Structure formats: structure tokens, C-alpha cells
């Protein structure tokens, strides 16, 4: 039971990881704390477009070896995206 819980915790994507992915896949630099504080703001307010978000989705699918919901790349805010992704990762674990 502890191993399963540890895997679920390790599978959660954080604002820090999302910030890193935004930088590496789309070239968008955002401080993780700012991303978390403004998590209800649209991705476009951070300079991330739908193609950039699609790259993040692809990277997460590859990294976690799980398919994310088709609507993941249509999320409008970091909070919405992380909730969807983390729910999918928890169910896929």
C-alpha cells in the first residue's frame, strides 16, 4: 500500500515541473511561484499557446508512459491543466 501511495505522489505534476516543461518545450519562462499564484489565469497570459501546451502534453505522456485525456491540450489555465493531468496520472497509476 505504501509503494502505491509513493507512486501516486511521485506521479503528480507540480507547478514547478509545469514551469520547467513550459521552458523546455515552448521556450516560455515563468517563475513556478508566479505560475501557482496566478494558476487561474489563462495560459495565454503567460505567453503559452495551444501548440506549446500540446508539446507539454506529449512530453508528459512520454515521461509517465500514460495517455492523457484528449482535452488536456484544450485546458485554459494551469490549475485546470494540473487537475486534469494529475487525475489522469492517479487513475493510470
Amino acid at each position: 500500500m505504501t509503494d502505491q501511495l509513493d507512486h501516486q505522489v511521485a506521479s503528480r505534476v507540480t507547478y514547478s515541473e509545469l514551469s520547467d516543461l513550459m521552458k523546455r518545450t515552448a521556450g516560455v519562462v515563468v517563475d513556478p511561484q508566479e505560475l501557482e499564484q496566478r494558476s487561474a489565469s489563462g495560459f495565454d497570459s503567460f505567453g503559452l499557446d495551444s501548440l506549446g501546451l500540446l508539446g507539454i502534453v506529449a512530453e508528459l505522456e512520454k515521461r509517465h508512459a500514460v495517455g492523457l485525456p484528449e482535452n488536456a491540450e484544450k485546458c485554459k489555465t494551469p490549475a485546470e491543466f494540473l487537475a486534469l493531468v494529475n487525475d489522469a496520472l492517479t487513475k493510470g497509476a
Side-chain angles (χ1 to χ4, degrees), residues 2-81:
T2 303
D3 288 340
Q4 184 180 11
L5 183 59
D6 289 343
H7 186 269
Q8 287 177 353
V9 171
S11 294
R12 293 189 61 79
V13 179
T14 64
Y15 285 99
S16 180
E17 184 176 0
L18 179 57
S19 173
D20 181 58
L21 286 166
M22 289 171 70
K23 181 178 179 182
R24 288 190 301 113
T25 63
V28 175
V29 178
V30 180
D31 179 82
Q33 289 179 335
E34 180 184 358
L35 190 62
E36 186 169 6
Q37 290 170 351
R38 295 180 46 216
S39 64
S41 298
F43 276 115
D44 57 344
S45 71
F46 297 103
L48 185 73
D49 62 13
S50 58
L51 189 57
L53 190 56
L54 186 60
I56 291 171
V57 169
E59 177 63 29
L60 287 171
E61 288 179 330
K62 185 170 70 171
R63 183 180 295 181
H64 293 279
V66 64
L68 296 176
E70 290 182 21
N71 58 340
E73 69 265 11
K74 294 180 180 156
C75 290
K76 300 294 184 197
T77 69
E80 179 187 6
F81 181 74

